[in-house]
Amino acid sequence: MNKGKIVSIHSFRGGTGKSNITADLAAQAALAGKRVGVVDADIQSPGIHALFGLDENKMGRTLNDFLYGKCGIREAACAVGELGADSTGRTKLAGKSLWFVPSSIRGQEISRVLRDGYDFNKLNEGLQTIIKELDLDFLFIDTHPGLNEETLLCMAISDILIVILRPDSQDLQGTAVTVDVARSLDVPKLILLVNKALPKFDREDIKARFEAEFQAPVAGVMPLTFDLAENASRDLFSLTQPDHEWSLALSDLAKTVMGME
Amino acid sequence: MGKEAATENQPVAALSYSQTDTWLQTTPRYGMILSMNGLIAVIISLLIPPGFVYLIRKLDLHGTGKFHYNVTAILWGMIACLVAALLHSRLIEAGMSRGQIIREVAPISEEILKALVLFYLVRRADFNYVVDGAIYGFGAGIGFAMIETISYVVSTPEFAIGLALDRVFSANLIHATTSGIVGSTLAAAHFERGSKRVLFSVLGLTIAMGLHMGFNFMVTSDTSLLLAIVAGFVGIGCIAIIIKQSLNIQRHWISEMLGMTDRVTLGEAAVVQRIQNMDEVLAPIARQFGPDKASKTEALIYLQAEIGIKRKIAKQTADENKRAAIEMEIQRLAAKMNTLRREIGPYCMLFVRSVYLTRTSKLWDVLDARVGAADTAHAGSGLWSALSRRIKRPNPRRQQASNHDLVGKLKETFLFRDLPEDALEAIAQKIAVRKLSKGDVLMRKGENGDSVFMLYRGSVNIVTTDSLGRELVINNCGPGETIGEMALLDEAPRSATAIALVNSEALELKQDDFHALLNQRPDLALGMIQGLSSRLRFSTTYIEKTVEWSQKIADGDYSIVEDTPTIPTHSGTDEDKAITLLSAFFQMVKRVKAREDVLKKQVEKLTFEIDQARRKRDFKEITGTEFFTRIKAQAKHLREQRMQDND
């Protein structure tokens, strides 16, 4: 089976660069000619929409609307390639098959989710539907950090799980548990990705030791970079600065993901 | 080729150029050379023309032309004549008339043939300017005409002497003039670019051919011999004017380019400017320092002129390869100049520089004012003027009791070695010899210095201490070098400590005695200045190196520290010495870097530890819920379903 792979991007704690990596990964896959969907499943603290150039005004239907039965999932999907380019990076996505399902950024709607919760089966059904309707090759899910219930669901239904961590002890401890849980959920493919590694660290050393510790492949050790911080989630960094060290590492990761059977 | 011929029945005096040329039809009678008349004619043909070349060469004030290229040009002219003869006899065989050849072919073919050697010479890196081109061209023309004249002479033995004489002063000079014009325009063209370059070359050749043609027309139209000779002298005059004009241009170049880049001082440059009054410069030098120094000074002045001209030429040369070749040539000349300067010696050099520095320059006034204001010289204000006056007069002889041993030693010190014997004898009386064992301190930093030392034997390290009290070698002195001379000029304490590296011997001269000597012999001060300025040059090199190395270290390039020796040596150039001394400091930098590298390696390995007990506890907490079991089952179901869908 090559069609409709679900790739969840997860990290135990926030601030690992998860949204950036998810958006750039999806963009790279779309650039490579794949049909790609991105779902912002971080309903409690959405963020990835900014990278695709959406704000409250531009945002139409959202995942929240779908979960509460206000629309079909297809209606909540926004074609990024047709949005009309408004930045250097996103210009390159014009005409590409990339759809994005945002989470609502309205305070009211977020608090409703937190208060009432939602039907996990509905989310699951939505994901399956959008894959079929848009004939997707890949569906990337930006998950909420930690190991709450909706995240566990996303993990459970993933074909590929990418766990992002920073080389620090808190991330390591949480990632160890995440990896154990993912294994318990029989996730077929599990990849680790180290981000924000300080330049002074020996990256080969980190990769080797993490692989030994977690018994899982480390797809890359990406550097901490001020350039990316400066980007401040305004644009897709791997598209604006394709020759940057970080972008090259991300592009390698994209190839790894796309090459996975 | 034959332009004119003697008609056999005319007397020599009335010999005129006529068209009834018999030369090419007449078989040369080489036997005539053995007759008295023939011999004299050949001698005239061969000796007078080179005399013209000599005269023209004398005009080259800056002496930039090379003798061997003159010879090359003349020899080529001779060959060109033989080639032309061959060509023209072929054309006659082919049916061309003699008149046609003389008036139409020869001016073109001969000018081109003569010019070939000039095309080669102007391209050489040691070629200078229009003066060179004119002189070489003149030579090529003379060479050509010499052979031509001889071939006329052997063909008309009857009028041999007359023919030789009139040709030498007319046709010969015209050949030299036209080629001289070609040479100078080719030289000028060489410093132009693109179309201008071609234009200059073509213009020169055209003018030469035109003049040649005009002359040939004139002499083949019953013109008087006198007119031909006048034409010849007008020609040589033209070349002289061209050379004079170019010399003026070169003179500007020299003053423009002879700057401090070649370490040619203002005084020296001023002397070079007065190159036409060379005798004025050299006569007093010969009187004061002897003919050897005078001839070396002369060579030095010519060399400096050539360097100035070459610098300008290099600047004007667009082609990079050629410019590089000229730069190489300049470096070679500069090295030669430095050798000459050393041979001439500091005292004579100071004299040379001061020849034109009298009232026109402010140097002595400035020194007067400075020394007067500082009030450090016992001689007080006016010392420098006195000095400059003194060295222009032969010094009065003073008889002193001599200490031969010490005088011999003083002769090996850089400070005193150029002084005349009587001065050395005076100094020797004041000298004390200090014998040092290895490790002995000659002088100590901070002490009041009241004497200067000249190292005669051994090796002494000049050492200072850093804020932590560690020794840092800042210089190393070998035999002949002066130590502590600063104490003689200022009253400040010793700026560094001097420690004998091996068993050594130094000559000590007390400050008071030194000042007394200065009053008697102001020229000693000039030697002191020389010594101090060489020390200053070393400091400059040292600082340059420090900046260069620091820059490299800042860029993370430590390669410079790797191979340099740490043991100081006092041999080699200022630069070698600076490198050796600096390496001690940069070895420290290297150690710091090594330490830093070790630290860096430690942080590079990430330290992490996972609490395995907590990991298990957290895992159980999450997976132990009913929700988890349900979701796991659901996920399994979902996957199976998708598998089926895909199948």
Side-chain angles (χ1 to χ4, degrees):
Chain A
M1 61 150 230
N2 290 318
K3 277 279 176 190
K5 274 188 184 163
I6 298 178
V7 183
S8 287
I9 294 98
H10 180 70
S11 69
F12 182 72
R13 295 199 306 150
T16 53
K18 178 168 57 67
S19 292
N20 267 305
I21 289 172
T22 307
D24 278 291
L25 207 49
Q28 292 296 334
L31 274 186
K34 303 287 182 193
R35 296 177 68 80
V36 180
V38 180
V39 174
D40 186 358
D42 188 356
I43 304 174
Q44 296 175 29
S45 50
I48 194 170
H49 57 274
L51 291 158
F52 289 119
L54 288 184
D55 58 21
E56 202 169 339
N57 301 324
K58 286 189 195 161
M59 220 178 263
R61 293 291 188 181
T62 62
L63 185 65
N64 305 52
D65 294 331
F66 165 73
L67 289 175
Y68 294 116
K70 291 183 192 162
C71 68
I73 185 80
R74 179 68 186 83
E75 285 166 67
C78 146
V80 176
E82 293 163 18
L83 263 181
D86 57 343
S87 78
T88 338
R90 286 188 289 271
T91 309
K92 299 184 182 167
L93 291 175
K96 300 292 173 195
S97 309
L98 175 61
W99 289 270
F100 171 57
V101 181
S103 261
S104 171
I105 49 177
R106 291 203 178 93
Q108 221 180 347
E109 290 177 13
I110 293 173
S111 58
R112 181 177 171 191
V113 172
L114 293 174
R115 192 178 63 241
D116 302 346
Y118 58 86
D119 182 358
F120 299 120
N121 288 328
K122 180 86 175 166
L123 174 62
N124 183 20
E125 179 201 313
L127 299 180
Q128 304 302 334
T129 309
I130 199 167
I131 290 176
K132 277 193 188 128
E133 284 192 6
L134 292 172
D135 190 24
L136 298 179
D137 295 311
F138 291 98
L139 179 64
F140 292 93
I141 304 176
D142 188 15
T143 63
H144 184 68
L147 287 169
N148 60 16
E149 293 180 346
E150 83 239 29
T151 299
L152 287 176
L153 173 80
C154 292
M155 276 189 190
I157 58 171
S158 300
D159 298 297
I160 299 169
L161 174 64
I162 300 174
V163 182
I164 302 172
L165 70 154
R166 286 161 300 197
D168 75 35
S169 51
Q170 267 184 292
D171 272 21
L172 275 154
Q173 184 75 36
T175 302
V177 178
T178 309
V179 168
D180 293 344
V181 169
R183 290 232 163 84
S184 164
L185 285 171
D186 300 319
V187 177
K189 294 268 155 55
L190 174 69
I191 311 173
L192 296 173
L193 181 68
V194 182
N195 194 20
K196 302 192 176 178
L198 287 177
K200 68 176 182 181
F201 287 132
D202 177 350
R203 289 188 216 159
E204 285 303 310
D205 174 65
I206 289 179
K207 180 174 153 72
R209 285 163 69 203
F210 282 14
E211 283 183 343
E213 178 65 42
F214 298 119
Q215 292 298 307
V218 172
V221 179
M222 311 196 15
L224 174 67
T225 151
F226 282 108
D227 302 324
L228 188 55
E230 204 149 298
N231 181 44
S233 296
R234 277 190 301 266
D235 203 349
L236 294 159
F237 190 75
S238 74
L239 299 185
T240 52
Q241 295 196 39
D243 297 326
H244 193 283
E245 190 186 12
W246 188 90
S247 306
L248 295 174
L250 184 110
S251 162
D252 284 346
L253 173 71
K255 279 177 200 138
T256 309
V257 171
M258 285 187 278
M260 277 185 164
E261 284 300 311
Chain B
M1 61 188 261
K3 280 190 277 292
E4 74 277 21
T7 42
E8 294 181 22
N9 49 3
Q10 276 177 298
V12 171
L15 190 72
S16 73
Y17 293 89
S18 86
Q19 220 168 339
T20 53
D21 188 347
T22 53
W23 177 66
L24 276 170
Q25 294 127 357
T26 318
T27 330
R29 281 162 273 172
Y30 294 109
M32 62 77 73
I33 297 174
L34 295 175
S35 72
M36 182 54 91
N37 276 2
L39 196 63
I40 291 171
V42 168
I43 287 171
I44 289 171
S45 320
L46 288 182
L47 282 191
I48 298 179
F52 288 124
V53 179
Y54 173 78
L55 282 177
I56 286 290
R57 249 180 81 83
K58 283 290 265 188
L59 291 175
D60 179 12
L61 265 182
H62 299 145
T64 53
K66 306 281 176 301
F67 179 74
H68 58 279
Y69 289 145
N70 274 313
V71 175
T72 309
I74 293 174
L75 288 177
W76 170 255
M78 292 176 162
I79 295 167
C81 181
L82 297 175
V83 176
L86 205 66
L87 176 71
H88 297 158
S89 62
R90 283 287 144 79
L91 288 175
I92 285 188
E93 276 168 30
M96 210 177 253
S97 84
R98 300 203 36 70
Q100 242 182 320
I101 286 180
I102 293 167
R103 295 183 180 198
E104 291 154 30
V105 178
I108 295 168
S109 60
E110 291 177 5
E111 287 312 321
I112 292 174
L113 280 168
K114 285 186 290 177
L116 290 180
V117 72
L118 304 173
F119 278 105
Y120 162 73
L121 288 174
V122 296
R123 304 186 82 83
R124 294 194 54 91
D126 51 2
F127 179 84
N128 286 306
Y129 189 55
V130 172
V131 178
D132 291 11
I135 294 174
Y136 297 154
F138 196 87
I142 289 287
F144 189 101
M146 279 159 77
I147 293 296
E148 201 182 46
T149 303
I150 287 176
S151 63
Y152 272 81
V153 164
V154 295
S155 304
T156 40
E158 297 79 5
F159 299 106
I161 294 177
L163 191 60
L165 272 173
D166 91 57
R167 280 198 54 88
V168 156
F169 289 106
S170 59
N172 238 311
L173 290 182
I174 289 297
H175 263 300
T177 303
T178 53
S179 288
I181 289 170
V182 173
S184 47
T185 51
L186 281 183
H190 198 61
F191 299 106
E192 298 294 339
R193 288 175 205 182
S195 56
K196 234 176 162 183
R197 193 170 190 167
V198 180
L199 190 77
F200 267 58
S201 312
V202 171
L203 197 70
L205 267 172
T206 312
I207 292 173
M209 288 170 183
L211 286 177
H212 196 152
M213 221 174 262
F215 181 80
N216 281 11
F217 262 92
M218 185 177 87
V219 297
T220 51
S221 320
D222 284 327
T223 322
S224 82
L225 173 63
L226 192 65
L227 209 55
I229 291 176
V230 168
F233 277 96
V234 168
I236 200 170
C238 285
I239 296 297
I241 289 167
I242 290 174
I243 289 175
K244 286 277 183 204
Q245 288 303 319
S246 325
L247 281 174
N248 268 339
I249 296 173
Q250 289 186 1
R251 204 156 62 87
H252 287 298
W253 288 1
I254 294 168
S255 68
E256 185 186 328
M257 303 310 289
L258 266 192
M260 294 312 281
T261 46
D262 294 305
R263 293 194 173 166
V264 174
T265 64
L266 281 175
E268 287 175 39
V271 175
V272 178
Q273 284 291 298
R274 301 291 200 93
I275 210 160
Q276 61 267 53
N277 306 328
M278 187 68 99
D279 290 345
E280 213 178 289
V281 183
L282 295 180
I285 292 174
R287 218 168 35 240
Q288 184 115 351
F289 297 93
D292 175 52
K293 296 248 168 171
S295 75
K296 277 185 174 145
T297 305
E298 185 178 8
L300 178 82
I301 292 169
Y302 280 127
L303 209 51
Q304 290 182 337
E306 187 167 358
I307 289 173
I309 293 166
K310 280 238 147 53
R311 282 229 173 276
K312 180 74 180 186
I313 288 168
K315 217 173 141 191
Q316 288 185 341
T317 304
D319 179 2
E320 249 171 62
N321 289 334
K322 199 160 158 50
R323 195 169 52 235
I326 296 172
E327 301 279 6
M328 286 274 286
E329 180 72 12
I330 293 172
Q331 275 178 18
R332 195 182 64 77
L333 294 177
K336 210 165 139 191
M337 176 180 76
N338 286 332
T339 313
L340 263 177
R341 213 186 248 157
R342 269 197 298 281
E343 284 171 10
I344 293 168
Y347 289 97
C348 184
M349 273 319 296
L350 279 165
F351 185 89
V352 173
R353 286 169 197 156
S354 67
V355 167
Y356 288 103
L357 269 183
T358 47
R359 287 300 103 189
T360 49
S361 160
K362 293 188 186 116
L363 177 64
W364 299 112
D365 300 339
V366 170
L367 283 175
D368 267 351
R370 294 265 165 87
V371 173
D375 195 28
T376 51
H378 284 206
S381 185
L383 166 71
W384 300 103
S385 305
L387 220 55
S388 69
R389 282 195 303 275
R390 282 292 282 277
I391 59 167
K392 284 181 191 171
R393 282 200 311 267
N395 286 302
R397 291 260 153 200
R398 274 187 303 272
Q399 280 304 316
Q400 302 273 1
S402 64
N403 182 336
H404 283 296
D405 187 32
L406 273 180
V407 168
K409 286 180 176 178
L410 282 171
K411 270 187 183 161
E412 294 187 18
T413 65
F414 299 150
L415 188 57
F416 295 129
R417 64 178 174 194
D418 288 304
L419 286 184
E421 196 88 6
D422 61 329
L424 291 177
E425 280 167 5
I427 296 168
Q429 293 189 334
K430 311 288 186 188
I431 290 288
V433 178
R434 287 272 296 265
K435 288 197 170 17
L436 301 163
S437 302
K438 184 183 172 185
D440 280 356
V441 173
L442 184 61
M443 61 183 210
R444 209 177 282 280
K445 184 178 176 178
E447 280 176 357
N448 280 328
D450 62 350
S451 55
V452 62
F453 302 99
M454 287 139 289
L455 196 62
Y456 168 66
R457 188 170 62 81
S459 172
V460 168
N461 266 354
I462 309 299
V463 177
T464 187
T465 44
D466 64 13
S467 57
L468 295 175
R470 281 178 300 212
E471 273 187 5
L472 194 63
V473 178
I474 55 172
N475 202 353
N476 175 270
C477 296
E481 290 190 68
T482 313
I483 302 161
E485 69 276 29
M486 266 139 75
L488 295 178
L489 299 178
D490 57 32
E491 306 284 314
R494 297 286 193 199
S495 59
T497 303
I499 303 172
L501 201 62
V502 294
N503 292 346
S504 308
E505 199 178 310
L507 310 177
E508 183 177 7
L509 179 63
K510 289 280 177 201
Q511 191 187 43
D512 290 346
D513 292 333
F514 180 72
H515 285 157
L517 269 172
L518 272 190
N519 276 334
Q520 290 168 26
R521 297 290 306 253
D523 45 342
L524 283 185
L526 293 177
M528 288 291 301
I529 294 170
Q530 201 90 64
L532 285 174
S533 85
S534 83
R535 190 62 54 90
L536 199 62
R537 280 200 207 291
F538 173 69
S539 298
T540 312
T541 313
Y542 192 89
I543 291 165
E544 275 170 5
K545 275 282 145 207
T546 313
V547 171
E548 182 194 324
W549 284 22
S550 303
Q551 189 60 50
K552 282 191 174 164
I553 300 273
D555 293 343
D557 176 6
Y558 288 81
S559 59
I560 36 162
V561 197
E562 307 295 337
D563 315 312
T564 38
T566 44
I567 300 146
T569 54
H570 43 72
S571 59
T573 61
D574 276 2
E575 189 168 331
D576 293 341
K577 206 167 162 182
I579 286 173
T580 315
L581 293 166
L582 275 174
S583 70
F585 174 69
F586 281 94
Q587 290 292 339
M588 276 177 2
V589 174
K590 199 175 146 192
R591 286 199 294 276
V592 170
K593 151 100 166 117
R595 206 161 56 224
E596 197 188 46
D597 283 349
V598 171
L599 281 173
K600 225 174 180 176
K601 286 251 160 54
Q602 285 169 350
V603 290
E604 264 174 9
K605 300 281 179 202
L606 174 75
T607 46
F608 68 91
E609 211 175 318
I610 291 172
D611 182 343
Q612 300 296 349
R614 204 181 118 199
R615 178 178 177 177
K616 271 185 191 146
R617 199 171 63 230
D618 287 348
F619 176 74
K620 271 188 186 154
E621 210 171 275
I622 293 165
T623 53
T625 61
E626 193 200 328
F627 172 79
F628 191 84
T629 320
R630 202 177 71 225
I631 215 170
K632 192 172 166 177
Q634 207 177 349
K636 191 181 173 200
H637 172 71
L638 212 66
R639 271 195 204 100
E640 284 166 0
Q641 200 178 342
R642 280 174 62 198
M643 288 282 246
Q644 283 165 10
D645 284 358
N646 277 304
D647 291 343

